Amino acid sequence: MSVFKNMTIIAMMALITISCKNKTEAEVKTIEITAETSKELDLNATYAKAEFTIDGMTCAVGCAKTIEKKISKMEGVKSAAVDFDRKLAMVEYNDAKVTTTSLEATVTNVSDTYEVSDMKTVENFSN
């Protein structure tokens, strides 16, 4: 009786395995859609340039690029670049909408490990 039971189980397993191979599964395709919001720059605005040091970054992609994206998304920021190797951020912004304090707050809000120092307004960015 035990042999018959085992043979039946093996036959059912084989039947299930064979029948599953004939089924085709639906193919799922994902499409990534990114909506970029275009910033309208105020042609009458006065744009200032600021450079400052960011301490506490540990990598170029996870830290520097994340900070750069957060600053770039601020209303009134025309451009932002963060150089991981030099620990330097360079930001061009509308001085009526953005302050150096708000720039510092944006960086420190990304992570508690980031510290801003040597904030200065410049005529041209250092190379």
Side-chain angles (χ1 to χ4, degrees):
M1 184 74 168
S2 173
V3 174
F4 180 71
K5 187 176 178 182
N6 288 339
M7 292 296 278
T8 307
I9 290 173
I10 292 172
M12 290 187 84
M13 296 282 277
L15 183 63
I16 291 172
T17 304
I18 292 170
S19 67
C20 288
K21 287 184 180 179
N22 292 334
K23 291 184 181 178
T24 58
E25 294 192 23
E27 185 177 331
V28 178
K29 292 184 180 182
T30 58
I31 300 172
E32 185 175 325
I33 299 173
T34 57
E36 290 188 28
T37 57
S38 61
K39 287 186 179 181
E40 290 187 28
L41 298 176
D42 186 356
L43 299 176
N44 298 322
T46 304
Y47 287 93
K49 295 179 181 178
E51 286 186 345
F52 52 92
T53 303
I54 303 173
D55 291 311
M57 294 187 294
T58 57
C59 60
V61 176
C63 298
K65 288 298 177 191
T66 301
I67 294 169
E68 187 176 297
K69 286 178 185 178
K70 292 287 185 178
I71 294 172
S72 294
K73 289 181 181 179
M74 293 175 65
E75 185 176 340
V77 170
K78 184 176 180 180
S79 67
V82 177
D83 186 335
F84 172 73
D85 295 327
R86 298 183 344 188
K87 299 181 181 180
L88 184 67
M90 297 162 280
V91 183
E92 188 171 6
Y93 60 94
N94 179 342
D95 61 1
K97 294 183 178 184
V98 179
T99 64
T100 54
T101 306
S102 65
L103 289 172
E104 183 175 353
T106 299
V107 172
T108 55
N109 285 339
V110 173
S111 174
D112 294 337
T113 60
Y114 305 139
E115 292 182 21
V116 173
S117 61
D118 300 326
M119 178 76 71
K120 60 187 171 197
T121 55
V122 294
E123 289 295 318
N124 295 310
F125 294 125
S126 61
N127 292 327

